[in-house]
Amino acid sequence: MSRSAHPAGPRHADVLTEGHYSAPAADLNVLDEKVWSRTVTRDADGALTVGGITVARLAEEFGTPAYFLDESDFRARCRAWSEAFGPDADVFYAGKAFLSRAVVRWLKEEGLNLDVCSGGELTTALDAGMPAERIAFHGNNKTVAEIERAVEAGIGRIVLDSFQEIVRVAHIAQRHGVRQRVQIRVTVGVEAHTHEFIATAHEDQKFGIALADGQAAEAVRRALSLDGLDLIGVHSHIGSQIFDMAGFEVSARRVVQLLAEIRDEHGVELPEIDLGGGLGIAYTSEDDPREPHEIAKALSDIVTRECESAKLRTPRISVEPGRAIVGPTAFTLYEVGTIKPLEGLRTYVSVDGGMSDNIRTALYDAEYSVALVSRASDAEPMLVRVVGKHCESGDIVVKDAFLPADLAPGDLIAVPATGAYCRSMASNYNHALRPPVVAVRDGEARVIVRRETEEDLLRLDVG
Ligand SMILES: *Cc1c(COP(=O)(O)O)cnc(C)c1O
């Protein structure tokens, strides 16, 4: 994932300058649909249900902490993306957001393609039956063994990320007697996040080959000259949690400009461009993500317009949403442990997980919502910080939120929108056991990634 520093929002500024929060506008018993997966509701007693099952039953059967993934929501989002982009474009789900064999099967059934960026992700994809031609392989430092495996499997495309890799992939493809379909990842000098983007000439990052100083044009020259490679297009990826399409406007313009230069120099019009992922979701009520059809229209309008002005045939577009598909479909369920009111500051609520199951708050200063989900409450709202059980004071799950003041040990609380980059970035810090992922659909719940056990830990530790 690219850099994703998240500037503190105005809510943080309020706390710092005034030392307090104003009470939340909304009733804490009412769930904001925007941040919860589609089948989530509250039953008559105020208990949250997903896929028709109450969290109390889920906690009893699967324990806490655990991720609960709303399968029908996941499938609906896949269909929405694929229908929005239509038959003349390709949607690649970015597997690094969250990947398991069940997820691969859902993607396959819903007609999506899949991005992987490691041998482990590739193995998972192939093992679960994703056709190799529907897989794309990314990454700035793929090993020779990974490239071998991808080429042998007949992978749909490899996204070339360096000059060494151009030669490496060409060589391996030739040895296997194939022409490998490839794209070249270019850095377009745009970095986008939420409502801002920065456009510079040079980009100081590890991914891609720079457009600015002619490096990308040189990479294209070399790729076109090698028999083992079938150069199908140019790839760019500009950021994460993006709400504003202006960054894509600049990146698409620069990519199309490169296609025009390639046509002028080599007499070929590359048939595809990939605009990457990075589309934003709602973590809190303040986030307003766009619908897939709005994003599809905006991107295709931008590309069409730029191609018209460059007198190019409009290439086939691909996009790579990860977070925007899986992020909103899951929540993490925790049991409340200790509660410490700090007079004049806030109340620290400790849960049975933490930075080992959600590193995003510590790593990116990410914002999350939280709700009491095992019952309703009429108590006053209290300002809380939800923290984990790790030996680290930065072990924060939700930095600032409100929960009812009668919150007690044993209550269940849930953090929504944890489908992306939580289980996939989970760690064993403090020898924590990584939580399971449970898929819930139509009144049935099944484990798709089981909880780690102490035996798992000891098995790796060979003494
Ligand atoms: C991370 C990444 C994505 C997915 O990003 P999201 O923010 O999850 O949509 C897509 N493409 C590339 C190349 C990536 O590195």
Side-chain angles (χ1 to χ4, degrees):
M1 195 154 80
S2 6
R3 193 187 73 82
S4 180
H6 192 138
R11 296 194 309 154
H12 293 141
D14 288 346
V15 175
L16 293 175
T17 54
E18 294 168 21
H20 71 277
Y21 268 114
S22 50
D27 176 351
L28 292 185
N29 292 308
V30 177
L31 297 173
D32 181 353
E33 281 178 18
K34 210 162 51 168
V35 299
W36 295 91
S37 72
R38 284 175 209 193
T39 74
V40 164
T41 56
R42 272 199 192 271
D43 72 10
D45 303 326
L48 184 140
T49 72
V50 57
I53 310 180
T54 66
V55 285
R57 225 188 90 196
L58 292 172
E60 191 175 302
E61 189 170 347
F62 302 102
T64 56
Y67 307 99
F68 293 97
L69 199 164
D70 191 336
E71 180 183 339
S72 51
D73 190 14
F74 184 97
R75 288 177 180 272
R77 285 174 196 277
C78 289
R79 285 194 294 274
W81 276 88
S82 123
E83 280 160 20
F85 279 85
D88 298 327
D90 299 298
V91 179
F92 286 77
Y93 169 76
K96 69 181 192 212
F98 173 65
L99 198 66
S100 76
R101 288 188 282 197
V103 162
V104 173
R105 283 191 290 273
W106 302 339
L107 294 166
K108 184 180 162 194
E109 287 164 16
E110 301 300 342
L112 263 65
N113 306 288
L114 174 61
D115 272 358
V116 298
C117 58
S118 72
E121 289 179 2
L122 178 61
T123 299
T124 304
L126 292 173
D127 185 82
M130 180 59 87
E133 64 271 17
R134 281 165 60 182
I135 305 175
F137 198 168
H138 290 265
N140 64 302
N141 190 20
K142 307 169 193 80
T143 66
V144 168
E146 286 172 330
I147 297 169
E148 290 267 3
R149 191 136 43 99
V151 170
E152 259 167 42
I155 200 162
R157 61 181 62 166
I158 294 178
V159 181
L160 302 172
D161 201 283
S162 66
F163 283 98
Q164 287 91 350
E165 200 171 78
I166 294 172
V167 179
R168 234 172 249 168
V169 173
H171 184 74
I172 291 169
Q174 231 171 351
R175 204 148 30 75
H176 285 82
V178 296
R179 277 189 87 210
Q180 177 60 50
R181 287 159 56 87
V182 295
Q183 291 186 335
I184 291 176
R185 174 156 177 182
V186 301
T187 46
V188 291
V190 176
E191 188 179 314
H193 192 79
T194 60
H195 300 288
E196 300 105 45
F197 77 97
I198 312 165
T200 53
H202 293 276
E203 212 166 357
D204 193 1
Q205 63 145 310
K206 71 169 185 169
F207 290 111
I209 301 176
L211 260 185
D213 46 8
Q215 296 284 302
E218 178 56 23
V220 167
R221 231 166 265 140
R222 293 192 197 176
L224 286 173
S225 76
L226 292 166
D227 290 338
L229 304 182
D230 176 12
L231 180 63
I232 58 165
V234 173
H235 177 283
S236 71
H237 173 73
I238 57 170
S240 63
Q241 186 60 1
I242 304 168
F243 291 122
D244 185 345
M245 303 306 280
F248 286 103
E249 185 104 33
V250 179
S251 77
R253 184 175 315 134
R254 292 182 180 175
V255 165
V256 169
Q257 215 169 351
L258 177 64
L259 292 191
E261 284 166 32
I262 295 168
R263 174 203 52 204
D264 295 345
E265 180 178 342
H266 305 279
V268 291
E269 292 195 24
L270 297 185
E272 300 198 21
I273 61 172
D274 189 315
L275 297 173
L279 288 317
I281 63 165
Y283 285 105
T284 74
S285 300
E286 278 148 57
D287 297 326
D288 276 307
R290 298 187 182 205
E291 293 295 322
H293 70 266
E294 297 174 278
I295 295 164
K297 180 164 187 329
L299 291 180
S300 98
D301 285 354
I302 293 168
V303 172
T304 307
R305 186 168 359 102
E306 295 301 327
C307 287
E308 268 168 17
S309 83
K311 301 198 166 47
L312 276 170
R313 235 172 306 142
T314 306
R316 190 176 175 86
I317 298 175
S318 30
V319 286
E320 307 172 329
R323 184 195 319 267
I325 291 177
V326 72
T329 67
F331 61 83
T332 313
L333 188 64
Y334 298 105
E335 185 179 304
V336 173
T338 56
I339 300 176
K340 287 184 192 167
L342 299 192
E343 198 51 46
L345 290 170
R346 70 188 82 245
T347 296
Y348 277 78
V349 174
S350 297
V351 294
D352 48 356
M355 65 192 292
S356 54
D357 58 72
N358 187 345
I359 191 65
R360 292 191 64 259
T361 306
L363 193 57
Y364 306 124
D365 207 10
E367 291 187 16
Y368 281 94
S369 318
V370 62
L372 169 63
V373 291
S374 44
R375 60 185 172 90
S377 167
D378 296 328
E380 286 295 299
M382 69 172 167
L383 178 62
V384 300
R385 177 160 292 171
V386 178
V387 296
K389 65 197 283 350
H390 295 281
C391 294
E392 156 66 51
S393 50
D395 172 24
I396 297 168
V397 180
V398 186
K399 204 167 174 184
D400 302 300
F402 286 92
L403 284 171
D406 64 351
L407 192 75
D411 277 334
L412 297 174
I413 62 176
V415 174
T418 57
Y421 305 110
C422 287
R423 181 58 180 79
S424 69
M425 294 179 105
S427 78
N428 284 119
Y429 183 44
N430 293 142
H431 285 200
L433 304 172
R434 285 178 293 178
V437 181
V438 179
V440 187
R441 183 188 183 186
D442 300 336
E444 278 176 38
R446 70 187 170 98
V447 174
I448 60 171
V449 178
R450 75 159 165 79
R451 185 184 301 282
E452 222 161 19
T453 63
E454 290 185 346
E455 292 78 69
D456 291 330
L457 288 184
L458 292 178
R459 203 172 301 142
L460 294 176
D461 180 341
V462 295

